[in-house]
Amino acid sequence: MRFARESFIVFRRQLRMNLRNPAWVIIGLTQPVLYLLLFGPLLKPMTAQFGAQNAYTFFVPGLLVQLGVFGAFFAGFGLIAEWREGVVEAERVTPASRTALLVGRLSRDLLQILAQAIVLCALGYALGMRASAIGLVIGVLLTVLLGAACSAASYAVALTTKSEDVMAPILNSVLLPVLLLSGILLPMTLGPAWLQKVSDYMPIKHVVDGVRSSFAGDLASSSVMWGSVWAVVLTGLAVYWGTSTFRKENA
């Protein structure tokens, strides 16, 4: 009960900060919306090559994962600003659980990703996307889980580096191969065999495949199973890493 109350206090403060300045929420949603509007129509002539029947049913899941990964990975920059302003130090002198300091922030991030995902799916439906209700819910849940993993990892990197100048190139070096090897924009089956083999070692690629299969209504497929497994494993590892980093700050 005490842990839930402490997490809620942190969540409420973080949410209030977002509501005062929603610019980052809007900017985070702008990129996938632009991809959907400007890149989505280019996929229509190639839909049959992907083994899909609807270009937007194929494309929106990739954009959801992009939203969960790219939006969440930048959450740590806000924590560096809080650390510089002494907010983190002030929280450290309270008896609040260090895990609650992370969970409260993660809750704010997940709510933000969920709201952005709903807007993106609504826009996808308006453009012609077709997906079953349960498949859409499962796909969004996988996206939110992946977002939790990326946010927790971002906070851990932020508290370790404490510098935007160091954190930015680290994130770029991680995000570029994620974008190219996860099949977010185009399926990896279009590439040569060696590239497909390399992409098999990218966990987020399996989450992308899982979200696509759930949107297509193929809920019993191995893609959904492996996507769910990787989303849970990545979230567990990242939350453990983030919690350890917050606790280390207390040492």
Side-chain angles (χ1 to χ4, degrees):
M1 189 64 184
R2 177 184 169 187
F3 174 78
R5 187 172 64 251
E6 293 171 349
S7 299
F8 179 72
I9 291 172
V10 176
F11 163 74
R12 187 175 57 188
R13 179 183 178 278
Q14 294 292 323
L15 184 62
R16 194 181 300 137
M17 289 169 57
N18 267 33
L19 293 176
R20 285 176 184 165
N21 184 14
W24 284 110
V25 179
I26 298 171
I27 292 172
L29 183 61
T30 299
Q31 189 180 45
V33 167
L34 285 177
Y35 270 111
L36 185 64
L37 295 176
L38 304 180
F39 192 76
L42 300 177
L43 296 179
K44 285 186 176 179
M46 299 186 291
T47 304
Q49 298 180 42
F50 304 158
Q53 297 180 343
N54 184 303
Y56 291 103
T57 306
F58 172 85
F59 192 43
V60 170
L63 292 181
L64 276 178
V65 174
Q66 183 192 23
L67 182 71
V69 173
F70 284 69
F73 254 131
F74 288 95
F77 285 103
L79 185 60
I80 293 177
E82 288 188 279
W83 172 79
R84 190 171 292 119
E85 293 168 358
V87 175
V88 176
E89 188 66 25
E91 290 176 340
R92 287 175 55 192
V93 300
T94 69
S97 161
R98 273 43 187 168
T99 306
L101 300 182
L102 173 66
V103 171
R105 287 176 168 84
L106 284 182
S107 301
R108 184 276 314 267
D109 297 335
L110 299 191
L111 180 62
Q112 178 178 311
I113 292 171
L114 180 61
Q116 292 172 328
I118 291 172
V119 172
L120 188 61
C121 289
L123 186 57
Y125 267 111
L127 291 174
M129 182 186 78
R130 295 294 176 266
S132 67
I134 188 168
L136 189 145
V137 170
I138 292 174
V140 170
L141 284 178
L142 289 178
T143 301
V144 171
L145 263 180
L146 186 63
C150 295
S151 281
S154 180
Y155 288 134
V157 174
L159 278 183
T160 302
T161 61
K162 296 185 177 69
S163 167
E164 293 92 342
D165 294 336
V166 177
M167 185 171 174
I170 291 175
L171 291 188
N172 283 333
S173 64
V174 172
L175 290 176
L176 184 59
V178 167
L179 179 66
L180 297 176
L181 293 174
S182 295
I184 287 175
L185 299 179
L186 294 172
M188 298 309 300
T189 51
L190 295 180
W194 69 266
L195 194 58
Q196 295 181 41
K197 288 288 184 185
V198 172
S199 71
D200 286 340
Y201 293 97
M202 178 64 69
I204 295 178
K205 179 239 184 186
H206 300 285
V207 181
V208 173
D209 290 342
V211 177
R212 280 198 177 120
S213 294
S214 68
F215 268 55
D218 197 5
L219 302 179
S221 69
S222 61
S223 297
V224 174
M225 183 194 74
W226 282 113
S228 303
V229 168
W230 274 114
V232 170
V233 169
L234 290 175
T235 302
L237 291 174
V239 169
Y240 174 77
W241 183 24
T243 302
S244 300
T245 309
F246 267 89
R247 285 177 176 165
K248 197 180 298 179
E249 280 293 300
N250 192 40

